[in-house]
Amino acid sequence: MNATADRPIERPIDRWFASYSGDHRNPTNQLIHVICVPAILWSVIALLWCIPSPGSWFRPGLWAGLAMFGAWMFYYRASKPLGFGMLAAFVLLGWFTKYLYDTLGATGLLYTAIGVFVVAWIGQFVGHKIEGRKPSFLTDLTYLLIGPAWVLAKLFRKLGWAY
């Protein structure tokens, strides 16, 4: 779409968010997503944290770090402000995961992450049942990356920050 005096250029992230928002109109479903999407994001990071890496018996965090870096590149390309926001989120989630790993050990972290993952996904599907619409990722797996950015964009809007 070309920019005009009345219409700015629509970015791909804006189209992703418009589509994602169309599947998340119900306020209860939105609230569930604001809670469950970050929980799922953390649980995936924690699950990846528990995967042994090659070249050593166990090097915690390698796979989580690589996944966070890859996701961060996606977010940064989509929107620099959201990219920096997601970078901050990844750093905080990484520190939290390392703390839990150091406190609970690998097995404790693994079981905690599995529990959070299962409960949060149940919450997501309850939210979509309330909404009456299927989850966006069932049409395009990219929406698994869009969800966390959508939640962060809601926070940005609340704070009056442009993304």
Side-chain angles (χ1 to χ4, degrees):
M1 160 167 72
N2 292 330
T4 66
D6 300 334
R7 246 181 359 195
I9 294 175
E10 187 176 89
R11 303 169 300 169
I13 192 71
D14 297 319
R15 290 190 296 274
W16 284 111
F17 285 165
S19 177
Y20 193 86
S21 293
D23 292 334
H24 303 85
R25 293 183 183 138
N26 181 286
T28 302
N29 188 27
Q30 288 184 23
L31 178 60
I32 288 169
H33 276 65
V34 165
I35 295 166
C36 291
V37 166
I40 291 167
L41 178 62
W42 171 77
S43 67
V44 169
I45 290 167
L47 290 167
L48 291 170
W49 199 279
C50 294
I51 298 173
S53 63
S56 69
W57 179 79
F58 191 77
R59 183 177 231 134
L62 173 69
W63 299 115
L66 291 173
M68 286 187 283
F69 181 75
W72 172 77
M73 287 182 7
F74 172 83
Y75 296 127
Y76 185 78
R77 286 189 63 213
S79 161
K80 286 185 179 38
L82 281 177
F84 285 119
M86 289 304 297
L87 178 62
F90 286 142
V91 167
L92 291 173
L93 291 171
W95 281 342
F96 179 63
T97 304
K98 182 178 182 336
Y99 168 78
L100 288 179
Y101 175 80
D102 291 343
T103 303
L104 304 174
T107 303
L109 178 61
L110 178 64
Y111 288 145
T112 301
I114 290 169
V116 169
F117 186 84
V118 169
V119 169
W121 272 110
I122 290 170
Q124 293 281 81
F125 283 104
V126 167
H128 279 285
K129 180 73 172 165
I130 292 167
E131 180 84 40
R133 297 182 64 91
K134 66 181 180 178
S136 301
F137 78 88
L138 292 177
T139 58
D140 185 340
L141 290 177
T142 306
Y143 285 110
L144 291 171
L145 285 170
I146 296 301
W150 181 80
V151 170
L152 184 61
K154 285 178 81 64
L155 176 63
F156 273 35
R157 285 191 296 276
K158 188 173 190 133
L159 296 172
W161 297 352
Y163 64 86

